[in-house]
Amino acid sequence: RSTRLPNDDGTLNFYLIDCRPESIAGEQGRFPKAINMSPEKLQDPEELQRLIDMFESLRGAVHICVMGEGFASFPVLYNHPLSKEEQKLLEDDISRTSSCALFFLKKGF
């Protein structure tokens, strides 16, 4: 039994949501075609409506992937225990990515 994928050519479409702060994304580099969606954007009613309109047109056509800074992977991938400062950065990262994910869940994505 095969699963039919969204595209005629059999590929999956992913849309990357970059939840890193603008300053960090600018410093570390951006992903082409990803959208930066910091939680601050979710507080601006005009920006929020623009995002809703844009994502509504993508509903059912793409898989939405929410990406943060990745501090949670440090201990697992690099056997690197987090310092207190890194632990705070991890908590901030989790908060940002969770806010963005919750936005999509509330909108039924």
Side-chain angles (χ1 to χ4, degrees):
R1 191 185 240 201
S2 64
T3 303
R4 183 151 167 77
L5 299 175
N7 287 339
D8 292 336
D9 65 0
T11 60
L12 291 173
N13 283 329
F14 292 89
Y15 201 84
L16 182 64
I17 308 301
D18 187 349
C19 296
R20 297 175 299 165
E22 250 329 298
S23 60
I24 299 296
E27 182 181 307
Q28 295 175 345
R30 292 183 169 76
F31 288 87
K33 300 183 182 181
I35 183 169
N36 180 274
M37 192 169 165
S38 63
E40 295 78 25
K41 288 186 177 182
L42 299 177
Q43 303 302 317
D44 178 355
E46 288 179 19
E47 182 67 17
L48 183 60
Q49 188 59 51
R50 186 187 73 75
L51 290 169
I52 290 169
D53 293 344
M54 181 182 69
F55 286 112
E56 195 58 45
S57 68
L58 298 173
R59 185 184 293 275
V62 299
H63 297 273
I64 296 174
C65 300
V66 178
M67 180 196 93
E69 291 184 77
F71 286 104
S73 63
F74 284 15
V76 177
L77 293 176
Y78 306 110
N79 196 26
H80 172 81
L82 297 178
S83 68
K84 288 186 186 254
E85 182 180 321
E86 290 168 333
Q87 185 63 39
K88 172 68 172 122
L89 292 170
L90 169 64
E91 292 166 8
D92 292 346
D93 189 35
I94 290 171
S95 176
R96 282 190 303 275
T97 55
S98 295
S99 293
C100 289
L102 188 58
F103 165 81
F104 289 104
L105 289 172
K106 285 182 176 179
K107 299 298 177 193
F109 286 91

